[in-house]
Amino acid sequence: MLVTDIKNSQELKGKDLLKLADYTPETIETLVYLADDMKKNKEKYAEALKGQLLGMIFEKHSTRTRVSFEAAMIQLGGHGMFLSANDMQIGRGETIEDTGKVLAGYLDGIMIRTHSHSRIEALAEAANIPVINGLTDLYHPCQALADLLTVYEIKGKFKGSKMVYVGDGNNVAHSLMIGAVMVGMDFTLATPAGYEAAPQVVEIAKGISEQTGAKLEFVENPEEAVKDADFIYTDVWTSMGQEEESAIRLQAFAPYQVNEQLMSFANPDCKFMHCLPAHRGEEVSAGIMDGTASVVFQQAENRMHAQKAVLYSVMKK
């Protein structure tokens, strides 16, 4: 890594990672380069967080977030502690602020996967140790970092590439949009009416795109959106907590399935991306999900490497 890269990484030391927009484009890009180095040179960082403890609070179910964070801490020489909200006092009414103050006395960092973004902000305000966003209803920054690492591995750069997200303007779309324009990628969001990205997030992304020169578009027609796309990304149409809306959502999003026909409008070497879990036959066809254009399992592995870069940057003494 370059000296400037190390300096940018150190800007995160002792700080929270609640959303990507809290940091400079240079720092976010540096995290990707660091993740790439950590993936290629595992032994170099084997004791980077020796003796460090990460508490992992889960108020939402998880496969990738739990396993990738715990594996990341082990590979860095530390330890990740799984903390189910159902087994903690926050599940019985203790405030998130009190929980944060208590855990700060035991741990070196906290990762939380929760509901409202205001909840993680309250936790970060109360705890005097780094707090990392494992997912909220508004943002999923660690997923976006893994996605950017995947793009970097495939393209070797960011600028000059076009990322298109097709589907629900949700937390994954929010962080991916911000992350993409931060590193100079053109980004297009294609959503049906009524399922657009949150206005406050759109305003943040617009401001960043003006700074970096990345092109930012919002369209309703998915075929128009994916023209010249280098990457097409989607997510489930019904997220956790939205199960009662499932039938309505299936109807609204039916034209937004990523399938062979939609991919034909993109660049010939366009890659398919998904944060997983995926529902074949809904947001993506089985042929695309399991085909040669799919890089979804590369993304999934990269969750661990991207999070190692975050953990190293915010927790290293």
Side-chain angles (χ1 to χ4, degrees):
M1 293 178 66
L2 301 175
V3 174
T4 52
D5 292 338
I6 296 171
K7 181 176 181 294
N8 286 334
S9 175
Q10 289 175 339
E11 290 180 8
L12 282 167
K13 185 178 290 186
K15 295 184 180 180
D16 307 313
L17 182 66
L18 306 187
K19 63 180 186 293
L20 298 184
D22 289 337
Y23 297 95
T24 65
E26 292 78 15
T27 299
I28 297 305
E29 199 162 338
T30 293
L31 280 173
V32 178
Y33 299 151
L34 176 58
D36 182 61
D37 190 54
M38 296 178 107
K39 184 175 181 178
K40 293 174 179 174
N41 301 287
K42 178 180 174 181
E43 295 305 316
K44 186 167 107 177
Y45 301 92
E47 295 189 353
L49 296 183
K50 185 177 181 178
Q52 301 266 45
L53 298 174
L54 175 73
M56 307 183 301
I57 304 174
F58 286 87
E59 296 185 319
K60 282 190 170 185
H61 297 299
S62 170
T63 297
R64 279 150 292 277
T65 299
R66 177 180 177 179
V67 178
S68 60
F69 264 106
E70 192 163 343
M73 283 300 293
I74 293 171
Q75 289 191 16
L76 294 173
H79 181 69
M81 301 175 62
F82 173 73
L83 304 171
S84 170
N86 294 331
D87 299 328
M88 298 173 66
Q89 294 298 336
I90 54 172
R92 301 178 61 247
E94 183 171 38
T95 68
I96 195 72
E97 292 87 353
D98 287 355
T99 298
K101 290 175 183 177
V102 169
L103 293 181
Y106 306 142
L107 306 169
D108 300 288
I110 299 171
M111 186 283 297
I112 184 170
R113 184 175 170 93
T114 187
H115 301 277
S116 71
H117 195 72
S118 60
R119 188 163 175 78
I120 196 173
E121 290 175 330
L123 176 65
E125 181 68 25
N128 61 357
I129 56 175
V131 173
I132 299 168
N133 183 354
L135 175 142
T136 65
D137 291 344
L138 194 60
Y139 292 111
H140 200 351
C142 291
Q143 177 66 56
L145 287 172
D147 299 334
L148 294 178
L149 174 58
T150 307
V151 168
Y152 181 68
E153 288 178 327
I154 293 168
K155 290 289 189 179
K157 61 179 183 178
F158 297 111
K159 293 183 179 179
S161 294
K162 178 181 178 180
M163 172 76 74
V164 179
Y165 182 98
V166 178
D168 189 15
N170 60 14
N171 50 2
V172 172
H174 290 164
S175 287
L176 184 67
M177 172 170 57
I178 288 174
V181 297
M182 286 186 93
V183 298
M185 290 185 74
D186 293 339
F187 185 88
T188 300
L189 181 63
T191 62
Y195 296 95
E196 299 90 349
Q200 69 270 32
V201 178
V202 171
E203 287 306 307
I204 291 171
K206 285 181 177 179
I208 295 170
S209 67
E210 291 172 1
Q211 177 186 352
T212 63
K215 187 176 181 180
L216 183 61
E217 293 183 311
F218 302 91
V219 300
E220 192 169 332
N221 186 318
E223 293 180 0
E224 174 189 343
V226 302
K227 184 180 179 182
D228 299 323
D230 297 292
F231 300 90
I232 297 177
Y233 199 121
T234 193
D235 190 9
V236 296
W237 293 339
T238 305
S239 299
M240 285 181 285
Q242 299 173 334
E243 288 78 8
E244 293 183 359
E245 306 172 22
S246 179
I248 297 174
R249 284 175 166 270
L250 285 174
Q251 183 176 359
F253 287 105
Y256 291 79
Q257 184 187 80
V258 180
N259 50 35
E260 289 77 0
Q261 181 179 353
L262 187 64
M263 290 287 288
S264 71
F265 290 92
N267 286 340
D269 61 349
C270 180
K271 302 300 183 184
F272 170 72
M273 305 181 77
H274 195 303
C275 57
L276 303 181
H279 297 157
R280 292 167 177 81
E282 289 188 15
E283 75 272 8
V284 59
S285 68
I288 295 300
M289 175 69 185
D290 302 313
T292 57
S294 177
V295 295
V296 300
F297 297 110
Q298 182 178 347
Q299 287 175 264
E301 179 188 340
N302 282 342
R303 284 290 304 276
M304 180 178 66
H305 302 298
Q307 287 156 193
K308 283 165 67 176
V310 171
L311 293 164
Y312 177 88
S313 298
V314 303
M315 289 177 61
K316 184 172 174 60
K317 300 295 186 183

